[in-house]
Amino acid sequence: MPLLEMKNIRKAFNGVYANEDISLSVDRGEIHALLGENGAGKTTLMNILFGLYAADGGEILWKGRKVHFRSPKEAIAEGIGMVQQHFSLVNRMTVLDNVILNLEGNSFVLKRDQAKTRLLELAGKYGLHVDPDALVSDLTVGERQRVEIIKALYRNAELLILDEPTGVLTPQETAHFFEVLRNLRREGYGIIIITHRMSEILAISDRVTILRDGKKAADLVTSETNAAELSMYMIGRELSEERKAGGAPGTETLFELKGASVHHKHGKSFAPAYLAVRKGEILGIAGVEGNGQKDLAELITGIRKPSSGSLLFKGEDISHMSVKERYKRGICYISDDRQTDSLVTDMSISENLVLRDFAAEPFAKNGMIRKGALLKNAAEKMEKYQIRASGRTGAATPVRLLSGGNQQKLIIARELADDAELIVASQPTRGLDIGATEFVRGLLSEARDAGKSVVLISADLEEIMLLSDRIAVLFGGKIVGVLDREEATVRKLGLLMGGVTEDET
Ligand SMILES: Nc1ncnc2c1ncn2[C@@H]1O[C@H](COP(=O)(O)OP(=O)(O)O)[C@@H](O)[C@H]1O
Ligand SMILES: [Mg+2]
């Protein structure tokens, strides 16, 4: 008898199926991967299992018994644990307090001691190393994830659901995390892991269920499949994930950041020492998120001014120039915060395409907006950048009605203007489906091939390695290493991302 069986689960939001007759079963001692593109329905299915959503149809058998969890509390009581994409720990409490939060009788000192012993036992047994007395706010993302798992195990979970757990880890942390999963498997736990990384699925899972557009596309035994087959089921074709070799990048320096620093009120500072961007290269910025990526992007684009040091663009000191002045010189920004930084979502596609230069020719003359010019520009850009507006309103469609992928293409269409020379692209493919991701990556490579320079900031190391000519690694607000593409192995990058310096590697 399987530990868990989900049968013909259905769930619609506003009349559209997010899950349509999906079945899935997991045994004890099995790692089951759930694969699918963004929006395929993975999280919805797991939320139903965990009691967060009520299904419209289908049934769940837990240890052979029909169940229906009306809340996570009920699911947890039956032995199901879920580590969600966004952790639910309380930052200003210790690890121990988080683990025993909402469990009864823990106010007694004796109980706390017992709880701590049990926590340390679990941690030791499965390799979930973490200090019970540390404040959660002081932990790395990897450590927080371990606390979440300990918390579930402490509540006697027998099935663990992990929603995109590796997205926030360095390669070394991922390797360690997989060791933990193997330890749990050995002890008979059932594990459901959501990921869209083929390599991880092949490395860790026993079986894989693939969702596509809310339906089950396949379930396969991992040892009998391969990456090509998985991507066929997931998107209907094979992925072309070759590294896109650039032309020989020049050695001419376009931009330099010389000891520029940022000081924040809460104490964290950004002091990246030295960074140079060459003409016609994609310079990848690798690093676990929150290590200074935003400061770097904002320093280059002028949103933030340096507290010390200087920034040179073609030899000119631009340190104190505004965003607008820098833009005029060809410094553009594809921000990771599309909705607030880059788009006016109530305005139309054609207007958003000229947000930067609507007051100048050819879009305006003598203070009057020229609608014809706006629409002509929009028609060209929508064609070239494959921006699709649903419905009949075309270029007049308000941007808020576009999908994430189309919003992103719009921003890129605007920022990759002919006179752009340095493009800062921050998480340019986050949240996009695979088709849009490939398209956007292609645009960045093309820009590079046309002699433009791109600073590619991405939390996705595979993306960095795929596109970059050189790779700089950010850790703790500093550039801790810059590698040429030939020498940039996952191992080296991973160590740097974890704070081990180049000499130590
Ligand atoms: N609470 C919700 N309300 C409305 N639509 C939702 C909700 N949750 C998910 N959806 C929709 O269901 C579909 C599947 O989403 P999700 O399960 O999050 O996909 P995945 O985890 O595979 O990326 C998406 O189209 C999403 O927009
Ligand atoms: Mg999801």
Side-chain angles (χ1 to χ4, degrees), residues 36 52 102 114 170 193 274 298 312 315 323 415 460 473:
L52 281 161
N102 296 333
Q114 285 172 356
T170 67
I193 178 171
Y274 180 78
E298 295 189 346
L312 302 180
V323 173
E415 299 297 312
D460 181 345
V473 182

Side-chain angles (χ1 to χ4, degrees), residues 37-44 85 163-164 194:
E37 279 214 73
N38 264 314
K42 307 178 295 290
T43 299
T44 300
Q85 248 173 307
D163 197 348
E164 311 254 5
I194 300 183

Side-chain angles (χ1 to χ4, degrees), residues 163-233:
D163 197 348
E164 311 254 5
T166 59
V168 291
L169 302 181
T170 67
Q172 277 79 5
E173 284 174 324
T174 299
H176 176 81
F177 175 70
F178 283 180
E179 264 322 298
V180 170
L181 296 190
R182 291 192 185 98
N183 293 340
L184 291 165
R185 171 167 63 189
R186 201 174 306 126
E187 291 294 316
Y189 287 92
I191 294 166
I192 300 177
I193 178 171
I194 300 183
T195 170
H196 56 267
R197 298 179 175 166
M198 310 288 177
S199 57
E200 295 185 350
I201 287 175
L202 295 170
I204 191 72
S205 71
D206 301 301
R207 285 195 296 162
V208 48
T209 294
I210 306 166
L211 303 188
R212 185 170 167 194
D213 291 335
K215 299 189 191 70
K216 181 159 103 177
D219 63 62
L220 305 165
V221 173
T222 308
S223 60
E224 294 167 3
T225 185
N226 54 51
E229 187 181 42
L230 291 176
S231 78
M232 281 302 293
Y233 280 116

